[in-house]
Amino acid sequence: MAQQLDSATREALVARVRFYRDLGLTEFYRRPVDPALLAQLAIAPEAVSERSNSTSNFVSVQEENPIPPRKHMPAAPEIAAAVPAAGRAAALQLIRDEIGECTRCALHAGRNKIVFGDGDPAARLMFVGEGPGADEDAQGLPFVGKAGQLLNNMIAAMGLKREEVYIANVVKCRPPGNRVPEQEEGATCTPFLFRQIDVVRPKVLVALGATAATWLLGSRQPLAGLRGRVHAVRGTQLIVTYHPAYLLRDPRQKKEAWADLQIAMKELGLKAPAKG
Ligand code: SF4
């Protein structure tokens, strides 16, 4: 007998299907679902068991979810339904599993490790950078080199610990020579970033540098015109500031970056820790 889905579950499924379609996938392999993961995501096993027991493991997305095709690839998939806080780590792990040993864009050829993201899955503050550098590529973690040390200092100046925020990048594999990701690379990888944002649901997003700002806002504008104000992106507030690597090259801009972070702190209700 067909299982009736509640509207929230149905919305989450439709968002998932759109995400796959935006990646160009219209068929996928159905693996057995881990009941523990479903429990953490607050999805009843019965909601998937009927199709999981199907004799065919290949499911046409369009067959199951008749979403009209779009003429243009959107900048980002639809905002997914909220994941309960207790299920966010598991939801992020599902996204990581979906990425797998990704070869969807050319950047896979030169990488050592995929840099998925790191931090509190229910963080109120999320930073988005451009892409992994050499240290990040070697360790599989974002912002662990010199720029990462500066970012850690910026986070501490806000009165937070690194473990209390979430950090990710526009692309998850290192661009050769640390170049800016190509349009196709960003378009291929950012649906995963948008999914991460939708799971974490931070109160404030901070775009570190022009590449992150461009992909999060869906338009290319000079950084100077984007800083100093609050933007609305994917149901959250976005602050734009300089990339820490740029601040290492031009430390005079640290004062400007601190002014940007203070806007984020105001939105978060944070006060800078007293100097002592
Ligand atoms: Fe896949 Fe993203 Fe790496 Fe490209 S950058 S290969 S889309 S994980």
Side-chain angles (χ1 to χ4, degrees):
M1 205 170 89
Q3 174 83 26
Q4 282 294 323
L5 299 178
D6 62 56
S7 62
T9 305
R10 182 170 175 74
E11 274 176 33
L13 283 171
V14 168
R16 171 67 62 90
V17 169
R18 283 185 172 143
F19 166 72
Y20 280 123
R21 194 193 53 200
D22 291 344
L23 288 178
L25 301 174
T26 55
E27 292 192 336
F28 57 90
Y29 184 75
R30 185 182 292 279
R31 290 181 301 182
V33 181
D34 181 350
L37 276 179
L38 291 176
Q40 289 183 63
L41 289 168
I43 297 174
E46 300 78 31
V48 295
S49 62
E50 189 177 354
R51 291 295 309 192
S52 296
N53 293 336
S54 164
T55 51
S56 169
N57 279 331
F58 287 92
V59 179
S60 164
V61 168
Q62 271 132 0
E63 270 172 27
E64 284 205 320
N65 296 278
I67 301 167
R70 293 178 185 170
K71 285 186 181 165
H72 304 290
M73 179 78 80
E78 301 292 320
I79 299 174
V83 176
R88 289 181 195 172
L92 288 173
Q93 185 59 49
L94 281 178
I95 300 170
R96 180 64 189 89
D97 291 347
E98 287 165 12
I99 292 172
E101 285 303 309
C102 186
T103 57
R104 292 171 178 89
C105 86
L107 292 182
H108 81 276
R111 73 154 184 258
N112 283 304
K113 289 188 177 170
I114 289 176
V115 179
F116 176 68
D118 186 36
D120 182 355
R124 295 174 69 227
L125 175 62
M126 177 169 173
F127 291 92
V128 176
E130 180 176 294
D135 293 311
E136 291 76 15
D137 177 61
Q139 295 187 41
L141 291 168
F143 284 93
V144 288
K146 282 186 180 163
Q149 287 167 17
L150 178 54
L151 179 61
N152 290 347
N153 291 342
M154 291 158 69
I155 293 167
M158 298 174 78
L160 295 169
K161 298 183 182 125
R162 179 171 163 127
E163 314 85 79
E164 293 176 303
V165 307
Y166 192 83
I167 306 172
N169 284 308
V170 167
V171 291
K172 304 196 183 305
C173 301
R174 184 189 182 200
N178 293 342
R179 64 161 169 76
V180 174
E182 301 280 358
Q183 174 78 19
E184 190 174 336
E185 294 157 358
T188 307
C189 203
T190 48
F192 296 118
L193 172 66
F194 294 131
R195 290 274 309 284
Q196 288 170 285
I197 293 170
D198 288 351
V199 167
V200 176
R201 294 237 161 185
K203 182 167 171 54
V204 174
L205 263 174
V206 175
L208 298 168
T211 301
T214 295
W215 283 99
L216 289 171
L217 288 165
S219 69
R220 190 182 297 275
Q221 297 173 50
L223 201 67
L226 299 172
R227 292 185 43 250
R229 57 196 167 100
V230 180
H231 307 263
V233 166
R234 301 192 72 74
T236 187
Q237 300 166 97
L238 172 72
I239 314 290
V240 176
T241 193
Y242 296 113
H243 193 285
Y246 173 76
L247 296 175
L248 289 173
R249 292 195 298 273
D250 187 355
R252 291 171 301 172
Q253 304 302 329
K254 283 184 182 174
K255 194 175 164 193
E256 297 292 316
W258 178 234
D260 297 329
L261 294 183
Q262 285 180 307
I263 300 172
M265 290 166 67
K266 187 177 171 200
E267 297 301 324
L268 291 164
L270 293 174
K271 286 190 177 145
K275 287 181 184 165

